[in-house]
């Protein structure tokens, strides 16, 4: 690929179709006997997306490898029977409903970090957080597996995006001054090794907590904190916007 | 960015060329980690004459601002010059046995490095580079080179089709690579990585070298052949472009914007005796 940037200035590869051989990567992944987990949330009306998400993820997410899906939901009873691929497992974890959707997104970081410590670190090597309101349309494979992985927001490639969605108010813990920032990352798909994801979710939780205490509400909530963290802790691999395209644009 | 060369391998390992990275971003990520980088180099027999230039140029260009331990493996510790080093940098002489032929000396390097890591350097450094001594640094070599397992693309073969790579082609050798296989031809003069990884692959290479010895065969390019065999099945996590492993005799093509580490011109017959 010569039409796109395939390497960041800190030498992290940017994954685009055509830059990698899935066969070679599969062989490497199998050599190491790894297990990957996916964490996703379906609260309030979002239970509606569970079926579509699970069907497509089951088919396209690391197909052929063991994947543990950790589905946090406040309406476990609404989940219809889902046919899982033989190598995959689904864990439904009930959570409490939050009054405001901003609080739901805030507590996600808390939930993920606490479950990593109490459970996930013993069950998976790599963990990815995906928004439930997505459908996978094509294979997402082991090219995503690396220590700290973020997805470039499709904001980056659409022509008009003058106001980047960074939080710029200095009172917020997520503040990134004008002109700084490498890429804008979406909070809808990020992950990495269990230890790196723990560090990330803890840092974002902390930032969100401090903002809440000072009464600051960031523009894009936990995504702003994610971007701040990734500015200071560079991802080891980036996924191109092919991996998460926000069709609202 | 560079569009004239390949900068990422099919297994998503970066290939480090001038213009692909920002040294400041990398420095700000690595400096706070308080790392010590190790360098091994073998100065056996007449090769001790290369030590001074190697060390002096390394002090100028290699990992400036980082702590460095130079481990010079030699059969004549008294011939190693006491070169003035910057703060945070140490020279350690490691005595080794002199073997009968230069090929034998070359092949025993894997074993010597592996043993030294197990006994000493695993406690002292986080990353280790194994370099040839008969070479000189001309330009910066910094944290862009750090990675889990690091190999360098041989300058003689980076623009050559894989059928022409001088892999070991005899199937009786443990370093055998059949026609049609192979990603790159890596040079034996530069390799490295996390100290734990270097321990692992030097052990593997030493084993395959011994297997060949037991079968009465010596690979075409000694341990370089074994290194290439290993890196075919266990792909490096980072590749260094030939900027990091150049041969002075070669004319510089446009893809090579900067020569960082290069051979010293010498009379092979004379030094190998």
């Amino acid at each position: 690929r010569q039409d796109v940037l395939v390497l960041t200035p800190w030498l992290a590869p940017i994954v685009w179709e055509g830059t990698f051989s899935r066969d070679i990567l599969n062989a490497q992944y199998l050599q190491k006997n790894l297990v990957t987990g996916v964490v996703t949330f379906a609260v309030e009306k979002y239970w509606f997306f569970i079926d579509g998400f699970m069907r497509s993820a089951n088919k396209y997410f690391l197909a052929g490898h063991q994947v543990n899906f950790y589905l946090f939901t406040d309406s476990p009873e609404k989940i219809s029977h889902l046919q899982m691929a033989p190598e995959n497992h689904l864990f439904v974890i009930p959570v409490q409903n939050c009054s405001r959707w901003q609080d739901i997104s805030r507590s996600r970081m808390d939930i993920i970090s606490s479950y990593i410590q109490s459970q996930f670190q013993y069950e998976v090597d790599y963990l990815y957080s995906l928004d439930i309101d997505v459908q996978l349309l094509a294979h997402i494979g082991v090219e995503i597996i690396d220590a700290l992985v973020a997805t470039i927001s499709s904001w980056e490639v659409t022509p008009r995006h003058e106001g980047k969605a960074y939080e710029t108010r200095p009172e917020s813990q997520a503040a990134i001054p004008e002109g700084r920032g490498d890429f804008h990352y979406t909070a809808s798909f990020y992950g990495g090794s269990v230890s790196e994801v723990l560090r990330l979710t803890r840092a974002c939780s902390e930032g969100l907590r401090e903002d809440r205490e000072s009464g600051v509400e960031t523009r894009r909530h936990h995504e702003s904190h994610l971007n701040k963290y990734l500015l200071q802790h560079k991802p080891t691999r980036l996924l191109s916007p092919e991996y998460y395209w926000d069709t609202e644009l | 960015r560079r569009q004239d060369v390949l900068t990422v391998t099919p297994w998503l390992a970066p290939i480090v060329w001038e213009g692909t990275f920002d040294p400041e971003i990398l420095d700000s990520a690595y400096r706070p980690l308080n790392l010590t980088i190790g360098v091994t180099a073998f100065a056996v027999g007449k090769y001790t004459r290369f030590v001074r230039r190697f060390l002096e140029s390394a002090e100028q260009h290699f990992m400036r601002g980082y702590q460095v331990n130079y481990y010079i493996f030699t059969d004549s510790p008294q011939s190693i010059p006491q070169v003035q080093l910057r703060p945070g940098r140490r020279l350690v002489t490691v005595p080794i046995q002199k073997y009968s032929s230069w090929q034998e000396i070359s092949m025993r390097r894997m074993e010597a490095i592996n043993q030294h890591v197990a006994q000493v350097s695993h406690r002292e450094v986080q990353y280790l580079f194994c370099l040839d001594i008969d070479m000189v640094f001309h330009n910066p070599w910094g944290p862009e080179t750090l990675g889990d397992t690091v190999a360098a693309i041989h300058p003689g073969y980076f623009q050559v089709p894989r059928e022409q790579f001088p892999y070991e082609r005899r199937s009786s050798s443990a370093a055998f690579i059949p026609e049609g296989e192979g990603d790159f031809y890596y040079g034996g003069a530069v390799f490295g990585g996390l100290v734990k990884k270097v321990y692992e692959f030097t052990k593997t290479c030493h084993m395959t070298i011994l297997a060949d010895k037991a079968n009465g065969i010596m690979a075409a390019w000694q341990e370089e052949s074994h290194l290439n065999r290993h890196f075919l099945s266990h792909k490096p996590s980072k590749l260094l472009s030939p900027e990091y492993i150049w041969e002075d005799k070669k004319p510089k093509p446009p893809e090579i914007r900067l020569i960082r580490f290069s051979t010293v011109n010498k009379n092979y017959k004379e030094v190998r005796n």
Side-chain angles (χ1 to χ4, degrees), chain B residues 165-177:
Chain B
F165 290 167
Y167 291 142
E168 173 54 63
R169 298 296 189 189
R170 291 167 294 174
S171 54
S172 49
S173 166
F176 172 59
I177 294 178

Side-chain angles (χ1 to χ4, degrees), chain A residues 162-180:
Chain A
E162 323 70 33
K164 273 198 198 178
Y166 290 143
E167 177 56 62
T168 47
R169 285 172 299 159
E171 318 83 77
S172 168
Q173 291 301 317
I176 293 175
E178 289 290 338
R180 303 276 324 274

Side-chain angles (χ1 to χ4, degrees), chain A residues 198-238:
Chain A
L198 179 59
R199 247 172 279 205
L200 182 156
T201 49
R202 264 190 175 149
C204 290
S205 266
E206 202 38 55
L208 284 158
R209 191 181 343 271
E210 286 176 28
D211 272 9
R212 182 173 60 218
E213 277 158 22
S214 5
V216 179
E217 181 106 7
T218 57
R219 238 194 287 186
R220 290 173 71 90
H221 312 282
H222 67 291
E223 187 167 282
S224 309
H225 288 268
L226 180 78
N227 273 273
K228 176 73 185 271
Y229 181 83
L230 293 173
L231 177 62
Q232 297 168 327
H233 305 83
K234 308 276 185 227
T236 60
R237 188 169 295 194
L238 263 48

